[in-house]
């Protein structure tokens, strides 16, 4: 493989991560070999080893990439004067990220690759995505939009709701895009109204 120019490394990393994710989603973990991934992108296995170290490093990078993209989606949500609307917008950003990266979602929140377990350092790196949700619930409580409650607990419940809805939608269990959006809006509306009146 020709050595890529410096500006090409980020693109190559992304291409390899996405190729690996597609193989995992389509054929299962048995298809996830450095050779298959390299073939999908049209490079030699040297590129995989050079960028990720080994297959385990590639899987870790896939895991981190999913959360990085979720974090980027959250970063694109503007802050307004309505904390509840902003929290709902984060939920929509979560859905959009999952739909844009379905090939990484199962690895992020499941155990799609036997033997993969994120280590403590990896868990620290993905923590900011949950911290964004906690900060949004803190704001809702402090500004009186939610009844007094532990913001961390509220964030856990909202995260569980979003994850459940995403998992169902990605499996086709919520109908088409608009049917799924209606289910999302209804579920989040009920959850947020409940939090507003929670003692």
């Amino acid at each position: 493989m020709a050595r890529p120019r410096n500006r090409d490394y980020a693109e190559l990393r992304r291409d390899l991560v996405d190729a690996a994710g597609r193989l995992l989603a389509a054929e299962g973990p048995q298809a996830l070999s450095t050779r298959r991934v390299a073939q999908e992108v049209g490079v030699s296995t040297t590129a995989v080893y050079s960028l990720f170290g080994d297959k385990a490093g590639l899987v870790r990078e896939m895991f981190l990439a999913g959360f990085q993209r979720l974090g980027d989606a959250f970063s694109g949500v503007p802050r307004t004067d309505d904390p509840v609307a902003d929290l709902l917008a984060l939920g929509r950003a979560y859905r959009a990220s999952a739909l844009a990266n379905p090939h990484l979602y199962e690895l992020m929140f499941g155990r799609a690759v036997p033997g993969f377990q994120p280590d403590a350092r990896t868990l620290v790196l993905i923590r900011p995505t949950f911290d964004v949700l906690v900060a949004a619930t803190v704001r809702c409580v402090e500004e009186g939009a939610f009844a007094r409650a532990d913001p961390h607990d509220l964030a856990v419940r909202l995260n569980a709701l979003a994850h459940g809805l995403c998992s169902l939608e990605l499996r086709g269990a919520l109908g088409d895009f608009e049917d799924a959006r209606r289910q999302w809006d209804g579920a989040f509306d009920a959850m947020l109204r409940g939090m507003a009146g929670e003692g």
Side-chain angles (χ1 to χ4, degrees), residues 45-193:
T45 55
T46 302
V48 180
Y49 294 124
S50 175
L51 291 171
F52 308 113
D54 53 18
K55 176 181 169 180
L58 171 61
V59 173
R60 178 178 181 270
E61 186 73 13
M62 293 160 62
F63 180 80
L64 289 172
F67 281 98
Q68 178 63 56
R69 295 175 195 184
L70 176 59
D72 291 344
F74 283 167
S75 295
V77 175
R79 183 184 174 105
T80 72
D81 293 332
D82 187 338
V84 177
D86 291 354
L87 190 55
L88 181 58
L90 288 176
R92 290 174 174 151
Y94 184 106
R95 179 192 180 210
S97 181
L99 293 178
N101 302 282
H103 55 301
L104 301 178
Y105 190 83
E106 185 63 29
L107 180 61
M108 292 166 65
F109 297 107
R111 288 294 177 264
V113 178
F116 172 70
Q117 182 70 39
D119 59 19
R121 179 171 173 269
T122 301
L123 293 175
V124 168
L125 292 174
I126 69 170
R127 177 75 192 193
T129 55
F130 184 70
D131 290 343
V132 168
L133 188 56
V134 173
T137 58
V138 166
R139 184 176 166 223
C140 287
V141 171
E142 290 181 345
E143 295 188 20
F146 288 171
R148 287 285 165 183
D150 184 335
H152 180 274
D153 288 348
L154 299 180
V156 167
R157 295 170 202 171
L158 286 164
N159 189 57
L161 177 62
H163 173 58
L165 288 166
C166 268
S167 296
L168 290 171
E169 183 171 5
L170 291 177
R171 286 164 174 74
L174 296 184
D176 64 19
F177 181 86
E178 288 303 320
D179 287 338
R181 183 184 60 79
R182 182 171 55 82
Q183 295 294 346
W184 270 82
D185 288 349
F188 267 85
D189 181 65
M191 174 76 85
L192 296 176
R193 282 190 289 106

